[in-house]
Amino acid sequence: MVPPRVSPKSELRAHIRSVRRAMPDLERTTADRSLAAAASDLVRQAGARTVSAYVPLAGEPGGGELVPALAGAAERLLLPVLLDDNDLDWAEHDGSFAPGRFGLLQPTGPRLGREAVAGADLVLLPGLAVSPDGTRLGQGGGSYDRVLQRVEAPTVVLLYPGEFLADVPSEPHDQHVCGAIEASAERYETAHVHWTKGCSMTQHWHSKYRSANDGG
Ligand SMILES: Nc1nc2c(c(=O)[nH]1)N(C=O)[C@@H](CNc1ccc(C(=O)N[C@@H](CCC(=O)O)C(=O)O)cc1)CN2
Ligand SMILES: Nc1ncnc2c1ncn2[C@@H]1O[C@H](COP(=O)(O)OP(=O)(O)OP(=O)(O)O)[C@@H](O)[C@H]1O
């Protein structure tokens, strides 16, 4: 009998999920704290007023401190609501959540529509790995491939140590991200921002500033 073919993406997903599960509690807590701090620093440095992010699942980068930290740094924080077709709707964070599929906690406020994410000045998104060319491996629902097509703002994935990889398998539909914040393996209090090829916050904001001043 021919064994079932395991795709390179599902193999890497399984590997990263098992490494995440085995991460010692203290390392995870420290990494989460450094990611929450680095992500909110990025919001402040960018002057981003509307930010979209996610509510980390158990064992996902950012932990329980991510949403409160971002809510303190941004004027408006948009959080995803998973739709039946795996696309994402958005609602503003107001402190209340309801459980959804896969154990997700989702905001209960008014639904703003699939296109609302286009109004974010910075998009922070979940992922299992990112490579230097901006290839992102996600949970496999294809949600963010759709979201990333609607967004012009910088897109940045939060990662645990060792998840910014030289090579990440990709398929033609995969949309690239702009950067990743990787918690450091040596010093868990610090996190490193990697900008992918041809993309940086500075470049983005310079070009936005230039175009805002073009023609007068
Ligand atoms: N925190 C968080 N929110 C998110 C995402 C995410 O990756 N993380 N999403 C990213 O798109 C969307 C939701 N899609 C998701 C799709 C699959 C799984 C997941 O964990 N799937 C596993 C486990 C299934 C299970 O526990 O039954 C799996 O398919 O094996 C999570 C979220 C929007 N919100
Ligand atoms: N624009 C799209 N519209 C509808 N389906 C899509 C789109 N892009 C990708 N998909 C489908 O989604 C599925 C999963 O894609 P992929 O493995 O790239 O997910 P992912 O990026 O890892 O997941 P996620 O973004 O949910 O974390 C694939 O079957 C793919 O065909």
Side-chain angles (χ1 to χ4, degrees), residues 52 80-81 83 85-90 112-121 123 142-155 175-176:
S52 84
V81 179
L83 298 172
D85 64 358
N86 283 350
D87 201 349
L88 303 183
D89 201 340
W90 300 89
L112 304 173
R114 300 171 199 233
E115 299 297 328
V117 68
D121 304 309
V123 173
S143 302
Y144 280 95
D145 290 319
R146 280 168 268 187
V147 168
L148 290 167
Q149 286 177 307
R150 301 174 180 139
V151 165
E152 282 182 31
T155 50
Q175 300 293 310
H176 287 203

Side-chain angles (χ1 to χ4, degrees), residues 9 13 85-86 126-127 136-146 149 171 173-174:
K9 273 190 175 183
R13 270 189 199 108
D85 64 358
N86 283 350
R136 163 187 172 273
L137 180 74
Q139 295 285 5
S143 302
Y144 280 95
D145 290 319
R146 280 168 268 187
Q149 286 177 307
E171 296 172 277
H173 66 252
D174 284 323

